[in-house]
Amino acid sequence: MRIEADLKLGFKDVLIRPKRSTLGSRSQVSLERTFKFRHSQKTWTGIPIMAANMDSVGTFAMAAALAELGLFTAARKHYAPEEWDAFVASAPDPRWLAHVAVSTGILDSDLAKLDRILERHPGLAFICMDVANGYSEYFVERIAKVRARHPERVIMAGNVVTGEMVEQLLLSGADIVKVGIGPGSVCTTRVKTGVGYPQLSAIIECADAAHGLSGQIISDGGCTCAGDVAKAFGAGADFVMLGGMLAGHDEGGGEMLERDGQKFVRFYGMSSRTAMEKYSGGVAEYRASEGKTVTVPYRGPVAETVKDILGGLRSACTYVGASQLKELTKRTTFVRVAEQHNPVFDP
Ligand code: 5GP
């Protein structure tokens, strides 16, 4: 046994220190970024915020809405090839397809389905290889296999939380590594297993490793408000993935409930009992569910929420004098804090 004694930090442990700036207004801030990916050599331009590949978040309706706003969606993996056909046929322009990833697990059947979808739709440029624990040798082999079969597609893969594993996944064929173990809003990994890594430190360490190899990272999980999204970018994330913050909207198509005249939407982790019963016929004997099922207030169309998040992010850039999102991390100094917001009027 060994203890690493230096304290690792989460979003709640820091604030971004304001800096003198010449920027007049937040309307001068550009949130678009352009990336060139290390293996596929593809270029992408957009606002690097993405919907998580979860039920009632990573839907086709979400992909359509977010693509229109310049954002990205990792589609939930349970869509059938025929459903992809319909989505692609309904896309009014190539932008929709450039702002969505086909998600996959790593079983033979998952990869066969992935091939079927990609063969039919060369315009789908992104693959999201998603496993709860990105540390297995087998996952690394599977990334190499998908890279060999699809040299021209952009592969995002995860999840991991440490620099050496980011390097391993990038060297094995991933263009972008997804970072986060345990911070998610409906994730119970940390309580069920004791395993995890505070998200802000994970971003800082993994971004450093990835950028050294011309790779990118996605900060996945743990953002509770626009300020956390700003902190994730400030820490060095190239993309930020959101589940809970994008749940509860029309585009998610989740189950609606009504309580005391108020509308709610059901939202659950993809390793929760709810998800396992839906897709795997129950929770297998040898494993525990590592996700929960919650209800979130119904929030209408997602465009309003996105406007709020982008407004907060532009404002954060203005406070530190970053005229483009790209500059935010260079201009960020975090201060460690023992308080965040004033709770006096909290319900
Ligand atoms: P959020 O933005 O809601 O805080 O986090 C979203 C992320 O939580 C997802 O992208 C995914 O990485 C993770 N996640 C989703 N469902 C589960 C689950 O059932 N268990 C765990 N451990 N993580 C989950």
Side-chain angles (χ1 to χ4, degrees):
M1 196 279 299
R2 208 170 76 82
I3 297 187
E4 265 184 34
D6 57 323
L7 185 66
K8 302 294 179 184
L9 304 173
F11 297 127
K12 68 167 199 339
D13 301 314
V14 298
L15 287 166
I16 298 169
R17 192 171 77 180
K19 275 201 175 79
R20 261 186 67 226
S21 130
T22 53
L23 276 181
S25 146
R26 67 190 70 175
S27 64
Q28 289 173 265
V29 174
S30 161
L31 297 180
E32 280 204 343
R33 291 208 57 181
T34 296
F35 296 110
K36 185 163 186 189
F37 302 111
R38 84 187 292 272
H39 290 283
S40 59
Q41 293 293 307
K42 282 251 159 61
T43 300
W44 181 87
T45 298
I47 298 173
I49 295 178
M50 50 176 74
N53 46 320
M54 300 172 73
D55 289 5
S56 83
V57 175
T59 61
F60 286 141
M62 184 67 79
L66 293 190
E68 290 299 328
L69 300 167
L71 281 67
F72 194 96
T73 299
R76 49 188 279 278
K77 79 169 179 186
H78 297 287
Y79 280 127
E82 298 70 31
E83 292 174 290
W84 274 102
D85 294 345
F87 174 72
V88 173
S90 74
D93 59 43
R95 182 173 42 154
W96 275 26
L97 307 191
H99 286 251
V100 66
V102 184
S103 301
T104 179
I106 54 171
L107 301 175
D108 286 340
S109 56
D110 293 327
L111 298 189
K113 185 173 116 182
L114 175 72
D115 283 349
R116 272 214 310 285
I117 296 166
L118 295 181
E119 270 161 22
R120 280 141 85 152
H121 304 295
L124 292 170
F126 285 81
I127 300 169
C128 176
M129 297 185 68
D130 194 25
V131 296
N133 169 9
Y135 281 78
S136 83
E137 187 95 323
Y138 187 58
F139 184 49
V140 172
E141 284 167 23
R142 295 310 238 181
I143 294 173
K145 182 172 169 172
V146 174
R147 169 52 64 211
R149 282 188 68 80
H150 301 286
E152 78 297 354
R153 316 256 182 178
V154 183
I155 299 178
M156 30 208 223
N159 282 18
V160 300
V161 285
T162 49
E164 93 285 356
M165 207 60 202
V166 168
E167 287 167 0
Q168 166 100 60
L169 300 191
L170 289 172
L171 295 171
S172 307
D175 294 291
I176 314 172
V177 175
K178 207 146 70 76
V179 172
I181 293 187
S185 60
V186 284
C187 165
T188 56
T189 295
R190 290 176 183 177
V191 277
K192 285 284 171 72
T193 69
V195 175
Y197 210 94
Q199 187 68 2
L200 188 90
S201 291
I203 299 169
I204 294 169
E205 294 166 26
C206 292
D208 189 50
H211 297 161
L213 289 173
S214 308
Q216 282 83 21
I217 65 157
I218 302 167
S219 169
D220 176 21
C223 287
T224 61
C225 56
D228 290 344
V229 177
K231 290 173 190 175
F233 283 120
D238 302 288
F239 293 85
V240 175
M241 180 175 261
L242 304 174
M245 281 181 70
L246 297 179
H249 296 97
D250 291 331
E251 290 80 359
E255 184 191 345
M256 290 273 258
L257 311 155
E258 208 160 313
R259 230 185 286 137
D260 304 330
Q262 275 203 304
K263 288 182 176 165
F264 294 84
V265 180
R266 196 180 296 286
F267 176 54
Y268 49 85
M270 296 313 289
S271 311
S272 64
R273 171 174 291 274
T274 308
M276 288 195 223
E277 281 173 353
K278 190 163 175 195
Y279 299 115
S280 323
V283 180
E285 198 59 39
Y286 61 89
R287 63 183 293 185
S289 82
E290 286 179 26
K292 55 188 158 191
T293 302
V294 299
T295 52
V296 299
Y298 166 64
R299 294 194 278 170
V302 75
E304 277 303 303
T305 299
V306 168
K307 210 162 100 186
D308 249 27
I309 297 170
L310 301 189
L313 194 50
R314 273 195 202 95
S315 190
C317 289
T318 315
Y319 271 111
V320 299
S323 62
Q324 305 172 46
L325 182 57
K326 184 178 181 201
E327 294 166 19
L328 180 58
T329 183
K330 277 179 259 168
R331 301 191 64 92
T332 292
T333 302
F334 287 119
V335 286
R336 274 186 63 197
V337 296
E339 62 171 18
Q340 284 283 323
H341 74 294
N342 183 337
V344 71
F345 292 125
D346 282 359

